[in-house]
Amino acid sequence: MNGGALLLHGGGPTQVMNASLAGVVEECRQSPVVKALYGARHGIEGALAEDFYDLAGQPAGRIDAVARTPGSALGSSRWPASAADYERLLEILDRRGIRFLFFTGGNGSMYMAHQIALAGAGRGLRVIGIPKTIDNDIGGTDHTPGYGSTAWFFACAARDIGEDIRALRGRVTMLEVMGRNAGWLTAATVFARSRPDDPPHLIYLPERPLSRARFLSDVEAMFRKHGVVVAAVCEGQTDESGRPMGDLGTPDGFDRRLSGNLAHTLARLVIDELGLNARSEKPGLLGRSSMAFISETDRREAYLCGRAAVRAAVEGHTGMMISLERAAGPEYGVTAGLVPLEQVGFVERLFPLEWITPDGAGIEPAFLDYAGPLLGPMQYHARLAGPG
């Protein structure tokens, strides 16, 4: 089947989203059946407005440079498309002779890609999803492009904040980490430790509800032991009743409410209840946008997913998402596979409970084996020789 292709981006950007774009562009250029390649400006909204970049016409050097640039060169969108929007999109694709559609995004975007595939069944359209999310919460894949780079950022942030806190005893710091309902990124702060007593001293994941009483007890105990405390907390942490411990923010495009200002809330709790000197840190969007923290493994795998998506569509697949399948054995490696979109749309893959320590405030070694190959290199601070 010959025809044009369209690439859409959905959801929050990452450091390596553009590497997937580059993979799509390069594979399309090599395919004899892809006759044109467009990129929708700002995702589904741009597609519906027929606001397109000519990706095939971009110079190779520019695509190479974009592939190493964080964010989304196309722009993105959280527009909650309706059935009428899907029908309008199909009319546009038919009129322009577009037969291949690639949708890069998280589980919300994969839901939309599935709906497009269903609406376009029997119309000669092939739809392939390209996984993307810093949260690492898409099912059907070992991990997601975007996770390794952001995990590396937060691990280094915890390492460096911890070194600052160690310098002046008597301080408590709450480090708020992105992740909504999944604690994959927060767990990665464990890589900040090169010694058993290194910060973060406490790591809390939303997969394990946390009571305020237990939180305060943990902080007090760690403060007595170390004289300082750094706690890494996921933005979506809930209490024992399932209520968000931070403020509820504005719903996103898919009506998902995000918790905010959790670190500030917990720091105030420590000040008010324990009388300790506490403050909060919330790097926020820096975690997914810092050019200095692009993991080369993450970038290569994002590029791999883009190329694999085009190959899958050309081979006749539709209604599928590219997955990363980890090779068995001690040497790290991945191959690209396929998983049905219906199995990943709006399905959150949470952090495994067995990788959380029994006390609920730490991470088991098995996670380090899993995530270690995905991050960039960790360098640790030197210490003076002497007591302790």
Side-chain angles (χ1 to χ4, degrees):
M1 180 176 70
N2 295 346
L6 176 65
L7 174 63
L8 307 177
H9 284 179
T14 77
Q15 291 100 320
V16 298
M17 196 174 194
N18 290 325
S20 292
L21 178 153
V24 170
V25 173
E26 292 305 313
E27 192 66 30
C28 283
R29 281 177 172 163
Q30 295 180 22
S31 173
V33 304
V34 179
K35 301 305 182 183
L37 174 61
Y38 305 102
R41 296 186 68 215
H42 299 292
I44 189 71
E45 295 176 83
L48 293 170
E50 299 189 60
D51 188 2
F52 297 147
Y53 285 103
D54 177 10
L55 291 180
Q58 301 289 323
R62 180 170 297 162
I63 294 298
D64 289 343
V66 164
R68 297 180 179 275
T69 302
S72 171
L74 290 178
S76 192
S77 173
R78 296 190 189 275
W79 179 260
S82 64
D85 290 329
Y86 295 133
E87 186 57 36
R88 161 74 175 152
L89 176 62
L90 292 172
E91 292 172 359
I92 293 170
L93 300 182
D94 285 342
R95 175 161 40 82
R96 287 178 168 263
I98 294 173
R99 295 291 175 258
F100 309 100
L101 186 141
F102 308 109
F103 207 139
T104 308
N107 41 35
S109 297
M110 293 305 106
Y111 170 81
M112 294 177 66
H114 178 52
Q115 297 306 307
I116 295 170
L118 289 177
R123 299 175 71 158
L125 177 67
R126 297 174 186 173
V127 180
I128 302 292
I130 303 172
K132 174 279 321 173
T133 179
I134 65 170
D135 298 339
N136 202 36
D137 63 351
I138 299 179
T141 182
D142 181 80
H143 56 279
T144 56
Y147 172 67
S149 297
T150 308
W152 185 29
F153 172 92
F154 279 109
C156 292
R159 176 200 62 192
D160 295 345
I161 288 170
E163 197 66 15
D164 185 285
I165 294 300
R166 290 170 64 97
L168 288 171
R169 298 176 69 80
R171 294 188 292 166
V172 176
T173 290
M174 301 292 122
L175 172 62
E176 183 173 334
V177 182
M178 300 175 76
R180 201 164 58 222
N181 300 320
W184 294 96
L185 284 173
T186 310
T189 62
V190 72
F191 286 96
R193 299 176 183 161
S194 62
R195 301 169 178 82
D197 63 339
D198 280 345
H201 306 101
L202 301 166
I203 302 175
Y204 297 113
L205 276 59
E207 286 81 359
R208 283 277 186 89
L210 176 67
S211 71
R212 283 166 172 74
R214 177 60 185 269
F215 165 74
L216 291 169
S217 175
D218 288 349
V219 170
E220 188 172 36
M222 283 294 173
F223 188 82
R224 288 175 180 170
K225 182 177 181 180
H226 300 292
V228 296
V229 180
V230 175
V233 293
C234 182
E235 61 184 351
Q237 185 66 52
T238 61
D239 63 18
E240 69 274 30
S241 300
R243 295 188 299 266
M245 296 183 76
D247 300 327
L248 281 178
T250 303
D252 66 12
F254 297 108
D255 201 30
R256 297 174 297 198
R257 296 181 69 87
L258 305 181
S259 180
N261 298 317
L262 173 63
H264 175 75
T265 299
L266 294 180
R268 288 301 317 174
L269 187 64
V270 169
I271 293 169
D272 294 341
E273 298 296 327
L274 300 180
L276 298 176
N277 179 354
R279 66 178 298 157
S280 62
E281 299 288 342
K282 184 179 180 179
L285 296 182
L286 283 174
R288 73 184 192 195
S289 62
S290 177
M291 191 170 181
F293 290 90
I294 296 179
S295 157
E296 280 303 302
T297 298
D298 199 18
R299 186 191 61 78
R300 286 194 303 269
E301 292 178 352
Y303 180 79
L304 168 70
C305 287
R307 298 201 74 149
V310 177
R311 289 196 297 269
V314 169
E315 290 168 2
H317 297 284
T318 188
M320 307 294 284
M321 183 192 79
I322 300 300
S323 64
L324 291 172
E325 300 177 356
R326 189 177 299 224
E331 295 296 322
Y332 175 76
V334 295
T335 56
L338 290 168
V339 60
L341 285 168
E342 62 184 343
Q343 294 182 15
V344 296
F346 276 145
V347 176
E348 286 184 309
R349 184 182 64 150
L350 301 181
F351 191 85
L353 294 178
E354 62 268 24
W355 286 356
I356 303 175
T357 55
D359 63 5
I363 304 300
E364 295 285 2
F367 169 73
L368 280 77
D369 296 334
Y370 163 82
L374 311 181
L375 280 64
M378 291 296 300
Q379 296 178 335
Y380 295 98
H381 300 294
R383 302 275 169 78
L384 294 172

